[in-house]
Amino acid sequence: MIWRTLLLAGLTTLAAAAPAAPFAYITNQGSHDVSVIDLALDKVVATVPVGRSPAGVVAASRSGKVYVSNPDSKTISVIDMRSQRVVDTLAAGSGPVGIDASPDGTQVLVADWYRNRLLVLDAAKPAAAPVEIEVGRAPAGVAVSADGRSAYVAERDDDSVAAIDLANRRVSARIKVGTHPFALLLDAPRQRLYALNVLSDDLSVVDLRSMTLAATVKVGRAPYGAALARGGALLYVTNQHGDSVSVIDAETLTVIRTLSGFAYPEGIAAHGERVYVVNWMDDNVAVLDAASGRTLATIATGSNSRGFGAFIGAPPTP
């Protein structure tokens, strides 16, 4: 009986020590840290110091790592999802902003804003110099295709999106979109790319099969982030200067409602039946019901929260 009691106690301890999942990793540009939210608890469970003015983030679940771009430090902070601590700091050009990872977690792609480059880092060899691919002016958002063969970069000051052939390390196509595209979102099942244009207050819908502009959807002022919810049926878009969120029928590309009550909303992501909106001015994350858009909770974060990128992830099962 004693050994059984000890075994059960050990299992209970291990269960308690195991990290809950998934987590949201919210970059806080003003406090130079990342708020880690346990989505099961709607609660910040860790605050991780990173470099200066963190902006971009990608939670690479396959590798159990989170990559955070720090423009003012010119670095990438690497957070381990199990310990919720920085385990590496990588040099990243002159001003890393947008960031994404390949689906298998082997490559990390970073937009170098000031040098007009896409940096491709080998996750297995973080100390190695990144491959550099020349792109257009002021590259911002980055998105990697589902097969990991292509990447897309928002060339903000050129009002265009570049398609990158990652095997050959070159721009394979380029398409004009709206004015000053910043964030990008892939819709793999529909073979679409959404570009959010902060100065023309609209969303460009790119057909990836032909690299042509399929539609333009008017949203609120200065759209910044986008997320697909409800199995891809709804597209949520944050409007920074409108203090609002547009909800779009992703099939018909029709705005079906506009939600108000946000404070300079920036990053946004969806998980399950919930949508998470990051508010820069209120230093919090609003938790919405994906179907109705109703606010369910708010979670306090750090100062000037951004969450620019795919900020929700979970470590792989041991």
Side-chain angles (χ1 to χ4, degrees), residues 6-45:
L6 290 173
L7 177 61
L8 289 173
L11 290 173
T12 301
T13 301
L14 285 173
F23 300 101
Y25 295 85
I26 310 301
T27 50
N28 302 309
Q29 195 159 38
S31 50
H32 316 297
D33 53 27
V34 172
S35 297
V36 183
I37 299 172
D38 185 326
L39 299 189
L41 303 174
D42 282 346
K43 177 182 177 181
V44 172
V45 293

Side-chain angles (χ1 to χ4, degrees), residues 209-229:
R209 290 162 292 199
S210 59
M211 278 302 288
T212 58
L213 185 63
T216 300
V217 182
K218 202 72 178 175
V219 288
R221 291 180 58 206
Y224 181 92
L228 286 161

Side-chain angles (χ1 to χ4, degrees), residues 3 11 26 45-46 48 50 67-69 77 97-99 127 142 146 150 155 175 188 217 241 250-251 308:
W3 69 265
L11 290 173
I26 310 301
V45 293
V48 185
V50 289
Y67 298 89
V68 174
S69 65
S77 297
V97 182
I99 187 167
V142 179
S150 302
E155 300 169 322
I175 182 171
V217 182
H241 298 171
E251 198 61 42
F308 179 47

Side-chain angles (χ1 to χ4, degrees), residues 103-189:
D104 62 5
T106 61
Q107 295 186 106
V108 180
L109 291 84
V110 186
D112 188 343
W113 178 276
Y114 294 113
R115 294 178 58 245
N116 304 328
R117 297 288 189 276
L118 177 67
L119 309 180
V120 183
L121 291 76
D122 184 338
K125 301 175 182 177
V131 171
E132 297 190 7
I133 302 170
E134 185 174 358
V135 292
R137 294 182 299 161
V142 179
V144 183
S145 65
D147 62 9
R149 296 177 181 176
S150 302
Y152 304 92
V153 179
E155 300 169 322
R156 194 199 68 164
D157 288 359
D158 290 334
D159 301 335
S160 59
V161 172
I164 312 295
D165 178 340
L166 290 176
N168 294 305
R169 310 301 197 196
R170 64 180 182 85
V171 175
S172 58
R174 183 170 274 119
I175 182 171
K176 284 291 184 180
V177 289
T179 308
H180 282 195
F182 196 79
L184 299 176
L185 177 68
L186 273 170
D187 185 345

